[in-house]
Amino acid sequence: MALLEIKKYPDNVLKQKTQELSNIDGNTQKLIDDMLETMHSVRGLGLAANQVGISQRLCVIDLSIKEDNKIPVIILINPVIVESEGAIDAEEGCLSLPGYMSSIKRAEKVFVKGLNREGKPFELEASGLLARALQHEIDHLEGMLMFDRMSPIKREFFKRKYLRDIRKIKTDK
Ligand code: NI
């Protein structure tokens, strides 16, 4: 296994829609293991393949550090949200926007279809933190970051502040 570099905004790979996987092979299995190790090393709850520079429709979620209930690690290949219900605001962060939290409105419940790591179809109905994590990661696979869910004014403010802060960090070094 290997730790991968996590791409940060404004890296272009994060803004591109990922490609569906047509073939789940040994490389896919290695990528999944590396993504899990990378996510766990930074105590993240989810990671999309394009966040490590691979533009494939694949993401991993592990809520075990955040929630007591024993939701197993979830591997999603070619996931799609087929139904969603309700709307709820909650704070979230992103490994590609380190140090930032923001309240984002998302559906309360989602119904997701995709393939598991063996390439078998599966369906998942989720609410709470899992529903939020699924929407956040699937947005990544569409080339969207959490600020794309903000109002235009809030989004501009957030982006400007973020870009100013990372420039400051670079000059400080
Ligand atoms: Ni994220």
Side-chain angles (χ1 to χ4, degrees):
M1 291 207 277
L3 287 182
L4 306 169
E5 184 204 345
I6 298 176
K7 305 291 180 187
K8 313 280 178 353
Y9 177 77
D11 196 300
N12 260 325
V13 73
L14 297 168
K15 301 177 206 165
Q16 287 156 8
K17 187 175 170 165
T18 55
Q19 292 286 313
E20 274 198 20
L21 273 89
S22 49
N23 191 19
I24 298 163
D25 56 15
N27 288 332
T28 315
Q29 301 302 332
K30 181 174 186 325
L31 175 61
I32 291 168
D33 288 336
D34 290 347
M35 283 171 63
L36 288 170
E37 194 187 4
T38 303
M39 175 178 74
H40 288 140
S41 74
V42 289
R43 298 181 61 79
L45 304 178
L47 188 67
N50 50 340
Q51 287 184 280
V52 292
I54 311 287
S55 197
Q56 295 183 349
R57 199 168 179 91
L58 159 70
C59 61
V60 298
I61 293 174
D62 184 359
L63 303 182
S64 60
I65 56 162
K66 192 89 174 188
E67 294 202 324
D68 303 334
N69 55 27
K70 294 276 168 270
I71 303 172
V73 173
I74 301 169
I75 314 289
L76 299 114
I77 295 172
N78 301 339
V80 268
I81 295 172
V82 285
E83 261 181 71
S84 57
E85 207 183 289
I88 187 163
D89 281 296
E91 287 280 308
E92 56 184 82
C94 178
L95 296 174
S96 293
L97 296 164
Y100 287 81
M101 296 288 290
S102 187
S103 179
I104 305 287
K105 189 189 288 295
R106 297 209 183 260
E108 218 172 335
K109 261 174 126 174
V110 288
F111 184 62
V112 172
K113 282 187 180 182
L115 304 175
N116 66 14
R117 87 178 280 173
E118 283 77 45
K120 303 236 165 61
F122 79 95
E123 299 174 351
L124 182 62
E125 201 185 275
S127 57
L129 183 60
L130 181 56
R132 181 163 293 272
L134 285 162
Q135 292 171 83
H136 181 112
E137 297 314 321
I138 293 171
D139 270 0
H140 272 302
L141 300 176
E142 293 293 324
M144 288 172 71
L145 285 154
M146 61 189 222
F147 52 62
D148 291 309
R149 296 286 175 191
M150 295 174 183
S151 69
I153 293 171
K154 196 175 162 192
R155 175 162 59 235
E156 279 320 301
F157 179 79
F158 183 92
K159 278 186 181 177
R160 257 209 302 273
K161 181 171 170 16
Y162 176 85
L163 293 171
R164 196 170 56 225
D165 288 353
I166 57 169
R167 254 199 316 273
K168 219 183 285 167
I169 293 164
K170 274 182 192 148
T171 24
D172 287 348
K173 271 181 188 163

